[in-house]
Amino acid sequence: MPSDWVIGVDVGGTKIRAGRVARDGSIAGMLEIETPTDGPEPFFEALDGMIDQLLSDGAAAIGIGIPMNIDRRTGIALGAANLPLVSLDVAARVRVGFDLPVGLENDGNATALAEWRCGAARGADDVVALALGTGVGGGLVLDGRLFRGWTEIGHIVVEADGPPCQGNCHGHGHLEALVSGEAASRAAQEIWGGDADAHRLVHEAEAGDARAVAALARIGHFLGLAVGSLWNVFSPDVVVVGGGFGAAAWPLMRESAFSAARREALQPADHELVIVAAELGDDAGLVGAGLVGFEALDGVR
C-alpha cells in the first residue's frame, strides 16, 4: 500500500471527523458524524463504518485521536470525561478489524502534534496547545518532542471550589468547566435561556451585545489565568489556542486572556509571552490523528 496517505479519525465529544491525511497535513475525503453516546458498541460501529468508507480510496495506516486518558504501558484508553467510554483497547480492536498499523493518541496531544508540525507552532521547541471544544483538550511539546503523558490541561484548577466540572469529572473549578464550548453555552443560557448556545454567544458578541461581550471576556480571563500558570511551569515559545469554540471565540477573548496571563506570568514572560490562534482551526485534531497514523506506519509508536 502506498505510504503517502493514512486515515485520521478525530473523536470529539459531539462529533467524529475522519479523512485521508497526507504527510504534509493535507486532508481529502472528509467525513463527519455525530458521536454516539450510548456505549462502546455503537461507538465502534460508527468508527468502523467511517474507516471502511475511506479505505475504498486506499490508506497505509490509521491514526485515532480520542478524548480519553491512555495507559502508556498497555495502550488501553482508560476513561473519557464527556463520553460513556471506559477501559477500551481501541487500537487493538481497529488493528484486528482492518489489518493495518494503528496509532492511538489523546486528542489534545494529537492537536498539539498537528500545530507543531504543520500549523502555528512550526519551528518551536516548546509549545502549549489548547483545544477549546465540547471540553478542553491540551498538549505539550517539550524540547522538540511531543510529551505523551495524560496532559489533561482542561482539568487544572483555575477557580478554587468553582463550578463543578462536566461529564464524568467530579472536580470543581477546572479550566474545562469555565472556558469550554459547553461553558459558553451555559453562559448563553444564563443570558437568553432556552436553547441558547455557544454559537449564539459568539454571534451576539460579534454584533456588539454587551452581555455577550462581557461573558466572553470572563471566559477569556479564566483562559488567561491558566496560560499564565502554564507559562510559569513550561516557559513555552508559544501557546496555541484552537478547537471549534476556541477558533470562533478567540478574537473576542484575546484581550482579557492576555491581560490575565500577563498578570500571572513571572518576569520577563509577563511582557514577552506569545499566544496565537491555531492555524489549522477545527482540522487540527484530524491532522494530528493522521500524523499519529504515520508514526504507527513508520514504527515510531
Side-chain angles (χ1 to χ4, degrees):
M1 180 71 66
S3 60
D4 50 350
W5 290 94
V6 300
I7 291 173
V9 184
D10 176 27
V11 180
T14 57
K15 61 187 178 183
I16 302 175
R17 303 174 78 234
R20 297 171 70 240
V21 181
R23 288 184 182 269
D24 66 356
S26 302
I27 300 172
M30 190 176 69
L31 307 174
E32 181 176 314
I33 63 170
E34 291 186 2
T35 305
T37 57
D38 43 357
E41 287 310 313
F43 167 73
F44 278 116
E45 288 176 9
L47 193 67
D48 291 348
M50 297 180 84
I51 293 171
D52 193 52
Q53 187 172 341
L54 289 165
L55 274 177
S56 61
D57 292 320
I62 301 164
I64 303 168
I66 193 166
M68 300 179 73
N69 301 327
I70 298 171
D71 186 325
R72 300 294 163 171
R73 297 165 299 175
T74 64
I76 300 293
L78 300 174
N82 295 298
L83 290 173
L85 303 175
V86 180
S87 297
L88 301 177
D89 196 345
V90 177
R93 174 156 175 170
V94 174
R95 190 180 300 116
V96 168
F98 293 97
D99 194 27
L100 288 171
V102 178
L104 180 71
E105 187 55 82
N106 171 270
D107 62 337
N109 289 349
T111 293
L113 181 63
E115 289 292 342
W116 176 47
R117 293 269 183 84
C118 305
R122 283 187 300 268
D125 290 323
D126 299 288
V127 180
V128 174
L130 297 168
L132 281 53
T134 304
V136 175
L140 301 170
V141 174
L142 303 174
D143 293 328
R145 295 170 61 90
L146 180 69
F147 177 71
R148 299 185 187 275
W150 280 14
T151 327
E152 290 288 354
I153 295 174
H155 296 280
I156 62 174
V157 176
V158 290
E159 184 180 22
D161 300 318
C165 201
Q166 58 198 46
N168 300 319
C169 179
H170 48 68
H172 284 254
H174 291 183
L175 187 64
E176 181 164 297
L178 293 158
V179 310
S180 65
E182 289 293 306
S185 291
R186 289 192 293 272
Q189 289 156 14
E190 289 176 6
I191 299 172
W192 299 290
D195 296 328
D197 59 10
H199 298 285
R200 180 172 179 183
L201 188 69
V202 171
H203 176 74
E204 296 286 355
E206 290 173 337
D209 184 285
R211 296 168 299 173
V213 169
L216 286 171
R218 185 173 187 271
I219 292 172
H221 173 75
F222 285 114
L223 176 62
L225 295 181
V227 169
S229 296
L230 290 164
W231 208 286
N232 291 338
V233 177
F234 299 110
S235 184
D237 301 311
V238 62
V239 172
V240 180
V241 177
F245 170 66
W250 172 245
L252 299 157
M253 301 189 297
R254 185 182 186 279
E255 183 176 349
S256 60
F258 264 104
S259 178
R262 286 170 174 154
R263 189 189 78 182
E264 301 303 329
L266 295 172
Q267 296 180 342
D270 54 345
H271 295 294
E272 298 177 356
L273 60 80
V274 180
I275 313 172
V276 301
E279 285 186 12
L280 301 177
D282 207 22
D283 290 337
L286 177 54
V287 172
L291 296 177
V292 168
F294 280 115
E295 288 187 344
L297 178 64
D298 298 338
V300 175
R301 58 175 59 234

